Amino acid sequence: MIEKHLVLNEADPAVFYGVNNTNLQLLKALFPKLRIVARGNVLRIMGDEDETSRFEQAVLKLEMYCAKYNSLKEEVIVDIVNGDEPNGEKSSDVILFGVTGRPILPRSVNQKKLVTDYATHDMLFAIGPAGSGKTYTAIALAVRALKNKEVKRIVLCRPAVEAGEKLGFLPGDMREKIDPFLQPLYDALQDMIPTAKLKEYMDFNIIQIAPLAFMRGRTLNDAVVILDEAQNTTPQQIKMFLTRMGWNTKMIVTGDLTQIDLPPTQISGLVQALDILDGVEGLSIIRMTKKDIVRHKLVTRIVDAYDRYEQTHKDEKRIFKKDSNEQSVDKN
């Protein structure tokens, strides 16, 4: 009789063991000759050497499946223990699987273009209206790269610009002050990475979330770096960000040109960067439209209504300006 300790490094133990430890109980039933005790992410096994070795191989395969699909069903456990191939998600469009096992995949033409261009370009700009999935898809690509060990870390940043309201001085330390600005990034991460694993990644700086001001002076290697809400950067800020790129690094810049919160006198760095960098080799610009909006159908209607309103007022301003010029000419 031998004793072994197996550590679950890749899979979330809560998902691996199942609700009320149903998966663990099934494993015990499938390996009746072994004594199996679970403590946290450690499995303690005692029994015959051959049976222990067979259990170890099965757990390794189960852990890889659980880490990939973020779920582990009883039929999958039975298939893997019996040496059969489990029926996983077959769609080639799937980026990764969320914490509930739900497949995360591109849901529009331009989201698919973002996914395909990611494979062939080192820097991407995803520009589009609210709800077009640009940030969510970008973070899904970053999490997939981290899980596949293509990169060593993810760096997510945003300019800390208030959206039309002054919040005053915020309490707490630096992280507590910037958290309200970064909440959309946390929301996406929590959909894709189990809570315990996400905390571990953040504690060890494998996933870093920081304001844009903290990027100066850094060289980012072996990483996926995402700049969200880039329309609120200044020309100096976005140039500083883009030049942080190191070896084996992918950069994704997302923004919505209709939601610029900078002062009226300040030029948006994203607008300027799109003009300057258009046609640069190795860089892809994906311009999303209202057709890419994947939120509630009302979001599309709201965007349409605002577009019509802005176009009407733009025409009115043009007519008013023309009349004013004519009146000044007549006076002269």
Side-chain angles (χ1 to χ4, degrees):
M1 181 177 287
I2 64 168
E3 179 178 325
K4 276 196 172 184
H5 292 79
L6 304 180
V7 181
L8 301 175
N9 289 317
E10 301 296 331
D12 179 17
V15 178
F16 187 89
Y17 298 145
V19 178
N20 297 323
N21 288 333
T22 51
N23 292 343
L24 185 61
Q25 297 306 321
L26 177 58
L27 280 172
K28 289 179 179 180
L30 292 171
F31 292 89
K33 296 179 182 178
L34 296 179
R35 186 182 173 201
I36 303 166
V37 179
R39 290 287 182 274
N41 68 333
V42 179
L43 286 167
R44 181 167 165 249
I45 310 105
M46 290 166 284
D48 175 75
E49 185 174 355
D50 291 340
E51 193 74 354
T52 301
S53 178
R54 191 168 77 89
F55 178 82
E56 186 176 3
Q57 291 172 10
V59 166
L60 183 62
K61 290 179 181 177
L62 288 169
E63 185 185 9
M64 291 301 103
Y65 183 98
C66 186
K68 180 178 179 180
Y69 295 103
N70 267 321
S71 69
L72 192 59
K73 298 177 182 177
E74 292 185 5
E75 56 266 31
V76 172
I77 295 174
V78 173
D79 285 343
I80 288 178
V81 169
N82 291 335
D84 299 327
E85 194 67 29
N87 293 319
E89 178 68 46
K90 300 299 182 184
S91 173
S92 59
D93 287 337
V94 174
I95 302 172
L96 78 161
F97 292 82
V99 292
T100 60
R102 177 180 64 86
I104 296 172
L105 64 167
R107 296 170 60 187
S108 71
V109 172
N110 282 315
Q111 284 184 20
K112 285 183 180 180
K113 188 174 188 322
L114 178 56
V115 173
T116 54
D117 282 10
Y118 176 87
T120 55
H121 295 77
D122 290 333
M123 185 177 291
L124 301 100
F125 284 75
I127 315 302
S132 55
K134 51 194 182 294
T135 301
Y136 198 84
T137 306
I139 291 178
L141 290 167
V143 172
R144 183 184 69 180
L146 184 65
K147 282 190 170 187
N148 292 344
K149 296 181 170 56
E150 296 166 11
V151 295
K152 294 179 181 177
R153 57 181 167 164
I154 298 171
V155 181
L156 307 172
C157 64
R158 264 186 161 206
V161 177
E162 296 160 348
E165 54 184 322
K166 299 299 180 184
L167 302 178
F169 291 102
L170 297 173
D173 58 21
M174 187 272 289
R175 182 166 177 175
E176 289 171 329
K177 289 178 190 294
I178 65 171
D179 270 359
F181 297 100
L182 306 174
Q183 194 57 50
L185 305 180
Y186 288 119
D187 291 343
L189 287 170
Q190 287 164 356
D191 273 0
M192 302 172 197
I193 303 173
T195 304
K197 196 69 177 176
L198 179 57
K199 185 178 185 303
E200 179 188 327
Y201 281 154
M202 297 190 74
D203 287 345
F204 288 96
N205 281 330
I206 295 170
I207 294 180
Q208 302 171 21
I209 303 181
L212 182 57
F214 285 69
M215 292 296 106
R216 187 172 294 281
R218 301 182 67 181
T219 300
L220 302 170
N221 297 316
D222 299 308
V224 177
V225 189
I226 297 174
L227 173 60
D228 192 33
E229 300 291 345
Q231 75 275 4
N232 288 328
T233 60
T234 65
Q236 294 79 13
Q237 284 176 326
I238 199 164
K239 180 184 177 184
M240 177 271 291
F241 172 82
L242 297 175
T243 54
R244 301 305 94 203
M245 193 173 199
W247 296 106
N248 189 36
T249 291
K250 298 266 189 178
M251 277 192 168
I252 307 176
V253 178
T254 68
D256 178 359
L257 298 180
T258 66
Q259 294 189 359
I260 298 173
D261 299 314
L262 294 169
T265 55
Q266 178 66 65
I267 299 172
S268 167
L270 179 60
V271 173
Q272 188 186 77
L274 292 173
D275 288 337
I276 294 172
L277 301 177
D278 190 24
V280 172
E281 186 179 352
L283 184 148
S284 172
I285 298 174
I286 298 100
R287 297 184 185 273
M288 296 182 174
T289 67
K290 290 173 286 188
K291 293 180 180 178
D292 297 296
I293 293 176
V294 292
R295 289 182 187 163
H296 194 285
K297 57 186 178 183
L298 263 177
V299 175
T300 306
R301 295 174 191 167
I302 289 167
V303 171
D304 279 337
Y306 271 91
D307 283 349
R308 288 194 300 271
Y309 175 84
E310 287 174 8
Q311 188 59 48
T312 302
H313 279 254
K314 198 179 288 182
D315 292 341
E316 288 176 358
K317 285 179 183 177
R318 196 179 296 120
I319 293 167
F320 177 77
K321 190 174 180 181
K322 182 181 178 184
D323 290 344
S324 299
N325 290 337
E326 288 175 354
Q327 286 174 13
S328 59
V329 169
D330 291 340
K331 286 179 182 178
N332 293 333

